[in-house]
């Protein structure tokens, strides 16, 4: 006598030898596999974009404006109008730009410099509203948390300052890294700051302690690539440099290491999709590739190539569908990687937007 389960699945009055469960499956439309275009939908020339692993020279604002540090200048490129403006020029000070970072509202951009000071600019007014001294070497990493700006430097320090007040009043110095700080990211809930350094260390700091609350030492090379998952609370991804090549995942709620994948190349950047449980990584030696991964299976969804140098810079568009990548080949390339819809006809024109304003 067959059990009830079998009876329901293989109803004796059915004329089909296929169970109802399988029939249902066969009738359901097949989920289309997502095609990711292997060519960028836009390429911009970016003369003097530095080929330096420790810098962070590209950021995309919530207002859809790209900030790019080129040599001693910061340029703004509006994704809506394709207009380019020069925000600032540090050449009178014999200085160069080493990092750029937008605040969450997209009205202020912070600029880290080779000389170690950080300037904050009101973009609408094109005016410098703050100059933050305190570092004794170049500032390659910046991260905003509301009005608080964190800066990481070659002097091994992380300094946190409230940009609304005179710098000295609100300054907190986080001492932990033994070499240059090259990665800084605040968690989505703004409670934790992750920092990566050339000492192969990944630290997690909270708002209150001056010592790291967590320390991860598994990477075998510099940690520049850091990304907090917007979907899984406390999930942090980090990538190691040339001697490491791994993307590692951490549960920062328990301090436990999770998955690890060897990518075969230096990991330069990581970013999670806003829409799905996927992430993108960009790479240097030796393949200079861009990879899209499914999480948690860590299956590769796409591999994009085109840059002839290490893909050192990465930013996500405000709608979460596109990424821009930058490299020492002096190009910025725009890709539809997390697109909800197929991209419109690819536009392959090379727009020489940054040169006509020099």
């Amino acid at each position: 006598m067959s059990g009830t389960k079998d009876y329901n699945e293989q109803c004796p009055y059915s004329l089909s030898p296929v169970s109802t469960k399988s029939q249902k499956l066969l009738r359901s439309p097949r989920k289309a596999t997502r095609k990711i275009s292997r060519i960028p939908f836009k390429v911009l020339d970016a003369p003097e974009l530095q080929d330096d692993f420790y810098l962070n020279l590209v950021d995309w604002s919530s207002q859809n404006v790209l900030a790019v540090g080129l040599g001693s200048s910061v340029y703004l490129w509006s994704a809506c109008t394709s207009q380019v403006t020069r925000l600032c020029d540090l050449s009178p000070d014999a200085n160069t730009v080493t990092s750029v970072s937008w605040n969450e509202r997209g009205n202020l951009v912070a600029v880290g410099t080779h000389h170690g000071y950080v300037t904050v600019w009101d973009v609408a007014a094109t005016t410098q509203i703050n100059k933050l001294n305190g570092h004794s070497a170049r500032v390659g990493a910046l991260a905003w948390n509301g009005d608080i700006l964190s800066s990481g430097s070659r002097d091994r320090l992380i300094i946190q300052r409230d940009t609304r007040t005179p710098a000295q009043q609100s300054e907190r110095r986080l001492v932990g890294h033994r070499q240059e700080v090259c990665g800084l990211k605040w968690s989505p809930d703004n409670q934790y700051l992750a920092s990566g350094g050339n000492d192969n260390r990944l630290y997690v700091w909270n708002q209150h302690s001056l010592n790291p609350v967590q320390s991860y030492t598994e990477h075998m090379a510099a940690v520049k690539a850091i990304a907090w998952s917007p979907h899984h609370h406390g999930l942090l991804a980090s990538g190691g440099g040339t001697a490491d090549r791994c993307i590692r995942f951490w549960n920062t709620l328990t301090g436990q290491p999770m998955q690890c994948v060897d990518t075969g190349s230096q990991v330069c950047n990581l970013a999670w999709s806003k829409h799905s449980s996927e992430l993108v990584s960009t790479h240097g030696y030796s393949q200079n590739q861009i990879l899209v991964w499914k999480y948690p299976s860590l299956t590769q969804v796409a591999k994009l190539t085109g840059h002839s140098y290490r893909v050192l810079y990465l930013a996500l568009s405000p709608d979460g569908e596109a990424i821009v990548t930058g490299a020492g080949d002096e190009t910025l390339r725009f890709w539809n990687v997390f697109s909800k819809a197929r991209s419109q006809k690819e536009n392959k024109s090379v727009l020489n937007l940054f040169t006509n304003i020099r």
Side-chain angles (χ1 to χ4, degrees), residues 272-344:
W272 290 87
S273 163
K274 293 180 181 182
H275 307 300
S276 60
S277 203
E278 293 181 335
L279 71 161
V280 61
S281 57
T282 75
H283 299 271
Y285 301 123
S286 56
Q287 296 179 50
N288 305 333
Q289 78 273 41
I290 298 158
L291 299 173
V292 183
W293 308 84
K294 262 199 180 359
Y295 182 84
S297 65
L298 296 182
T299 47
Q300 254 183 58
V301 185
K303 177 177 177 176
L304 308 172
T305 53
H307 282 293
S308 55
Y309 279 61
R310 302 179 291 173
V311 190
L312 294 179
Y313 310 111
L314 168 72
L316 191 60
S317 65
D319 68 8
E321 295 195 15
I323 59 166
V324 61
T325 55
D329 58 19
E330 302 192 336
T331 66
L332 293 169
R333 291 164 188 263
F334 294 78
W335 317 78
N336 271 320
V337 289
F338 300 132
S339 178
K340 287 176 284 194
R342 276 304 300 277
S343 66
Q344 270 59 57

Side-chain angles (χ1 to χ4, degrees), residues 49-94:
L49 185 58
Q50 301 299 302
D51 180 40
D52 189 326
F53 180 77
Y54 301 99
L55 310 186
N56 290 280
L57 294 173
V58 178
D59 199 18
W60 202 332
S61 82
S62 57
Q63 308 280 322
N64 215 3
V65 178
L66 206 64
V68 186
L70 300 177
S72 56
S73 298
V74 175
Y75 291 95
L76 304 178
W77 177 78
S78 163
C80 307
T81 64
S82 290
Q83 271 191 302
V84 181
T85 50
R86 180 148 76 174
L87 179 68
C88 63
D89 179 10
L90 307 176
S91 54
D93 197 15

Side-chain angles (χ1 to χ4, degrees), residues 12-48:
Y13 308 113
S14 166
L15 299 174
S16 167
V18 182
S19 74
T20 43
K21 202 169 164 192
S22 302
Q23 284 182 47
K24 216 167 165 179
L25 196 70
L26 289 166
R27 274 198 294 265
S28 66
R30 207 171 128 246
K31 195 164 172 255
T33 53
R34 197 158 56 81
K35 278 200 164 56
I36 294 179
S37 173
R38 298 214 181 310
I39 48 172
F41 63 86
K42 189 184 283 292
V43 180
L44 298 181
D45 275 355
E48 289 185 70

Side-chain angles (χ1 to χ4, degrees), residues 223-283:
V223 181
K224 180 200 188 185
I226 299 173
W228 293 91
S229 166
H231 314 293
H232 312 85
H233 183 58
L235 174 62
L236 178 62
S238 60
T242 312
D244 182 81
R245 306 183 308 272
C246 289
I247 301 171
R248 294 177 179 274
F249 296 86
W250 315 93
N251 179 344
T252 61
L253 305 179
T254 63
Q256 290 304 300
M258 294 162 73
Q259 294 102 307
C260 171
V261 59
D262 187 335
T263 67
S265 294
Q266 172 189 47
V267 187
C268 303
N269 295 282
L270 287 167
W272 290 87
S273 163
K274 293 180 181 182
H275 307 300
S276 60
S277 203
E278 293 181 335
L279 71 161
V280 61
S281 57
T282 75
H283 299 271

